[in-house]
Amino acid sequence: MNKRIKKLRNESLTAVNKLSPERAILVTEFYKSEIAKQVSVPVKRAMSFKHILENKNICINEGELIVGERGPAPKETSTYPEVSLHSMQDLDILNNRPKVWFRVDDETKNIYEKEIIPFWKGNTQRDKMFAQLPDEWKAAYEAGIFTEFQEQRAPGHTVAGKKIFQKGMLDLKKEIQESIEKYRNTNDSKDLAKIEELKAMNIAAEAIITFANRHADELNKLAETEKDEKRKVELTEMARVCRRVPANAPATFHEMLQHYWFIHLGVITEVNPWDSFNPGRLDQHLYPFYKKETENGTLTKEKAIELLQAFWVKFNNHPSPPKMGVTALESNTYTDFSLINLGGVKEDGSDAVNELTYIILDVIEEMRILQPSSMVQLSKKNPDSFIERAIKITKTGFGQPSIFNTDAIIKELVNQGKDLIDARNGGASGCVETGAFGTESYILTGYFNLNKILEITLNNGIDPRTGKEIGIKTGDPRNFKSIDELLNAYKKQLNYFADIKLKGNNIIEKLYAEELPVPFLSLIIEDCISNGVDYNSGGARYNTSYVQGVGLGSITDSLTSIKYHVFDHKNISMDELLKAMRVNFEGYDQLRHDLIYETPKYGNDDDYADSLAVEVFNIFYDAINNIPTFRGGKFRINMLPTTSHVYFGSVIKATADGRKAFEPLSEGISPFQGADKKGPTAVLKSAAKIDHLKTGGTLLNQKFSPSFFKDDQSIVKLSQLVRSYFRMDGHHIQFNVVNAKTLRDAQKHPEKHTDLIVRVAGYSDYFNDLGEDLQNEIIRRTEHEEL
Amino acid sequence: MLATIFDIKHFAVHDGPGIRQTIFFKGCPLNCWWCHNPESQDVNLEIFIQVNKLDGKEFKRAVTVGYQITSKELMDIILGDQVFFEESNGGVTFSGGEPLMQSKFLQEILVLCKQKSIHTCIDTTGFTSKKTIEMVANLADCFLFDIKIIDNELHQKYTGVPVDGILENLQWLDQNHKNVILRYPVVPGITDTEKNISDIKFFLKSLKNINQIDLLPYHNISKGKYTRFKKENKMKDTKPLSNNDMLYLKSEFESIGFKVGIGG
């Protein structure tokens, strides 16, 4: 990388994470204004968005090529009091917590105390949500049965499709006008609401143009005083770019990156959507520009790389907005899950890998930063050189890129009833979530604790941690005669909690539809404009709400222990086993040893255990899949944990797999740490026994010690291993290449390992930023691989 | 029919082409000083005490090394990895111990593999009758054939058997255009003497078709196994070889036109 990029990268890496009150001040100012009280909700949201973009500080960092910051400066992170409000105590915690902290200065605290908190207290989306959610929802939530994504952050979880790379805001404004014409001559209240929504979209489109022009003005001003002739030319050109996009469709490589970046900022300024935003199939969108401009001589490969690297830095400048409480536990990271997709297939189903795909892989390897995340989509149609190049980057050990099965993703989307072309334009975002890019609103609703529900089943409806009866009575397990009776009881219990969760989500979705529409995001996702309906109200072509199952490996091992020792071999009675679990195996060393060492486990291609994974998966799937949502879409499942397997473990006492109380659970669909003894092929076979095509994503972590990668042959064999898993319809696999010794040293001497990035679960993170529990868990997983 | 085996390794990446499954037969006519799998030598099942640790406490239990398996059971296990074989042009490798010691069973399983078009590899010491080597050569796709010491007396001393029959078998495979990859365990002071290296080179030059050799550097990772299985370790003071030693040997064999791999 050249000197400029080195400097920008370094500035991004060393910028201090700070909480910025700028957005909170502006949004509060607008909500207090007279006009805010007179307009419809969507128009109010759009005007508030406009107010922010018209008044916020314009930040242009020295030497930058792509411009625009959400806050006043890099890593100065906005808050969203209309969604959830930080208390004074929260601000102290954010400032002082040892990991994933945000510095809060006295001025910010003062503004919060005097202006922000008094205005929003009791009126946030979060307050309204908790006022409406029923008691049984709260009881389950507090017990750790599930989490709720929309509790502190707005729905989002979506990705740009090809439309926005081919259209400018002025084109969209025309579409809005056409749509308004369509709904104008009517007195139907629904159509009137559509017109309000469309008006709001129009305001939002204008707001982002204004925002870009403010950057152009500032750039022109800087150009005037710039002494360096070269930079002067650059600044003038950047100003020209900012006047063209996003008002017009981008016409050059540079314009396209800047165009996307303004849209990205728009999405993450309007609200604080989960997984920020994502350009999706970046190599596909950019390639036509790259090809044309390198052929006609207006762009060199070096310049393209520099622009991409400058673009990469922009993502890294934007940490995930600060989370608190359970929400922080379920996803405790600065990463904001913008996941660049590379490769895959084109609309016509042919191989999409191109020259730029490899160039972007080079950029990923060279930049080696946390954000954006990156992945490769691997189809059977892609060449081996593509996957081998990707694995060579993985080998360097920062967890990127992860590898996804394009052919499975397309089948998953088509199974959900989507058009084949929309499916081929899709991919994965966030950690591993399947989506039709640009046409789907696919919202993650919360992690679902499969193991906690087993614990409650084994206690006949009572949570043994608190003694509260939060479940239903499904029978005294000591009277069960077979594993099937236990599974039946589990199914009833799970259905009960799934029902609570889904009803809760419909309340939450309704609240977002009514109170917090997102007219800007609605501009971008098809068919919100033609439907005249907001993204949060079901305006997108497809609407999906996902529930994430967590701890498949752990629950499989627990059920297998019970089947093996209690029912099949009668080594111990259910009564005795439950007693041992209650006392955390105190005085039951031999039993605990046998549960760990003398019991079939998930992850060894052993049907005895794996068939129970399939049972649990199907019970979960049947409880959730295809249930209608408030937005007119469907609930679906996926299997991923982010960091919730640690939180979910912390609310469960000892389990029948020999795990002690409050220890982490297994993550994704990976085997429990250390349970897989037969190597990676057996893990893949076990993991492929559940039907991935029924999900919207599964997450499999596979650890390798660096010694495995000693020659090119091993990279070839690893790529063949991936191809085999994908032939069995596996959805995703990621590799962690780091040895346990390094990790243990990093725990002892974090200062020596500030750049150590590891794969967590669906994303990478700085090892130093992980909680100690999670660090220990990753060390255990890694150690096991080295045996 | 039953075979006695002691282990099955999945995702074996150094025992032949592609991703392989390696079946370790129990029992070996040789008794090499440097043997990495001392538990493979005796064809009889052996019992040892396994120690598992949990929270600092030790749990002991008697474990049998080796088990008997039918060809159908084994075939089911092999077929379980078929998807990996197909994606990588891999297959199954029969190793040991010495798989040719259980030649009737081996014949049966090789026929079954052929029926399912599974690529097979035999990892052998070559110490067997000509009849057996011919039988196996007609069924297996590839041999990993050990070449250790050329001098008959020294071979007898360090492995317990003479070398002449082994070399004859190798020559027969060569003359009959069988696919063979040679494996040369480089053991300090035993197989890496100047004399032995020059003997091996001389012998290799006499081969007409075989042109690939893998150098297997001696390492002492099996130290623990000797203790665990209570076997006498004659090599406990031997130091492993350096990278440079291996690179030197590599160039030696390359100089006579061989393709040389390190490790395996």
Side-chain angles (χ1 to χ4, degrees), chain A residues 214-264:
Chain A
R214 292 183 64 212
H215 283 83
D217 294 344
E218 186 64 29
L219 286 160
N220 282 139
K221 217 187 286 168
L222 288 170
E224 271 169 33
T225 54
E226 177 63 51
K227 299 274 183 314
D228 182 291
E229 270 313 307
K230 224 175 124 199
R231 179 66 180 158
K232 196 184 193 80
V233 172
E234 241 172 42
L235 288 166
T236 311
E237 166 63 7
M238 286 158 69
R240 184 198 67 76
V241 169
C242 292
R243 289 203 202 281
R244 255 198 65 82
V245 293
N248 303 283
T252 67
F253 191 87
H254 184 170
E255 284 180 19
M256 210 211 84
L257 292 172
Q258 184 65 63
H259 176 76
Y260 172 76
W261 187 249
F262 279 131
I263 288 169
H264 185 98

Side-chain angles (χ1 to χ4, degrees), chain A residues 39-56:
Chain A
V39 293
S40 65
V41 175
V43 170
K44 181 167 75 178
R45 290 300 302 160
M47 289 180 78
S48 135
F49 176 67
K50 190 162 176 252
H51 185 73
I52 299 166
L53 294 186
E54 279 175 351
N55 294 290
K56 77 173 291 299

Side-chain angles (χ1 to χ4, degrees), chain A residues 702-718:
Chain A
Q702 187 75 50
K703 300 278 176 297
F704 281 97
S705 67
S707 60
F708 180 81
F709 293 84
K710 60 182 179 191
D711 55 25
D712 283 356
Q713 263 308 302
S714 55
I715 288 178
V716 170
K717 292 190 181 183
L718 210 52

Side-chain angles (χ1 to χ4, degrees), chain A residues 548-573:
Chain A
Q548 295 76 58
V550 175
L552 185 68
S554 290
I555 189 169
T556 302
D557 290 349
S558 286
L559 288 168
T560 305
S561 278
I562 295 170
K563 177 172 154 65
Y564 187 86
H565 293 287
V566 177
F567 296 120
D568 289 358
H569 292 264
K570 305 202 175 1
N571 295 333
I572 187 171
S573 68

Side-chain angles (χ1 to χ4, degrees), chain B residues 23-237:
Chain B
I23 317 290
F24 294 91
F25 284 72
K26 193 157 156 51
C28 186
L30 277 65
N31 183 11
C32 305
W33 283 29
W34 58 85
C35 183
H36 283 171
N37 290 325
E39 76 276 30
S40 73
Q41 292 172 351
D42 193 335
V43 73
N44 298 305
L45 307 186
E46 295 167 89
I47 295 193
F48 82 103
I49 301 299
Q50 183 180 306
V51 182
N52 290 326
K53 282 187 189 155
L54 191 60
D55 290 346
K57 284 185 196 132
E58 290 193 345
F59 295 84
K60 292 183 183 167
R61 66 168 193 138
V63 176
T64 309
V65 183
Y67 54 98
Q68 296 203 309
I69 190 163
T70 68
S71 53
K72 178 169 183 316
E73 287 164 346
L74 185 55
M75 205 54 209
D76 284 345
I77 295 172
I78 292 170
L79 288 174
D81 285 349
Q82 199 169 9
V83 60
F84 304 103
F85 303 157
E86 288 180 9
E87 285 295 330
S88 67
N89 292 319
V92 63
T93 297
F94 298 100
S95 181
E98 173 51 66
L100 297 181
M101 255 182 105
Q102 302 183 47
S103 61
K104 284 233 170 75
F105 180 90
L106 190 62
Q107 182 174 15
E108 200 175 303
I109 198 85
L110 284 171
V111 168
L112 290 173
C113 287
K114 216 167 187 73
Q115 284 168 1
K116 298 277 182 191
S117 303
I118 292 194
H119 182 276
T120 52
C121 225
I122 310 290
D123 181 9
T124 179
T125 64
F127 185 76
T128 188
S129 70
K130 196 159 170 216
K131 207 176 112 202
T132 303
I133 209 89
E134 284 179 24
M135 176 277 287
V136 171
N138 285 327
L139 292 169
D141 296 301
C142 161
F143 282 87
L144 305 175
F145 199 110
D146 276 13
I147 185 153
K148 301 179 177 106
I149 301 168
I150 301 291
D151 182 280
N152 212 13
E153 263 177 48
L154 289 174
H155 197 278
Q156 179 83 43
K157 176 180 172 191
Y158 288 113
T159 72
V161 302
V163 76
D164 38 6
I166 295 176
L167 296 180
E168 279 167 30
N169 283 336
L170 183 55
Q171 278 160 337
W172 184 87
L173 290 171
D174 183 54
Q175 281 151 15
N176 287 279
H177 300 273
K178 298 296 174 188
N179 183 9
V180 179
I181 299 167
L182 296 171
R183 309 250 261 184
Y184 165 33
V186 187
V187 187
I190 299 180
T191 70
D192 74 341
T193 62
E194 218 169 294
K195 165 96 177 22
N196 194 41
I197 293 167
S198 109
D199 285 353
I200 292 180
K201 277 170 68 181
F202 185 76
F203 179 80
L204 293 190
K205 279 193 252 175
S206 77
L207 296 173
K208 294 189 177 56
N209 299 303
I210 297 169
N211 66 352
Q212 198 178 341
I213 188 164
D214 286 342
L215 314 179
L216 313 182
Y218 172 83
H219 50 75
N220 45 19
I221 53 165
S222 48
K223 244 184 184 169
K225 279 190 174 182
Y226 277 90
T227 322
R228 204 172 343 137
F229 297 113
K230 298 205 164 61
K231 308 255 178 186
E232 185 200 355
N233 184 358
K234 294 177 181 158
M235 306 281 297
K236 54 176 177 281
D237 299 323

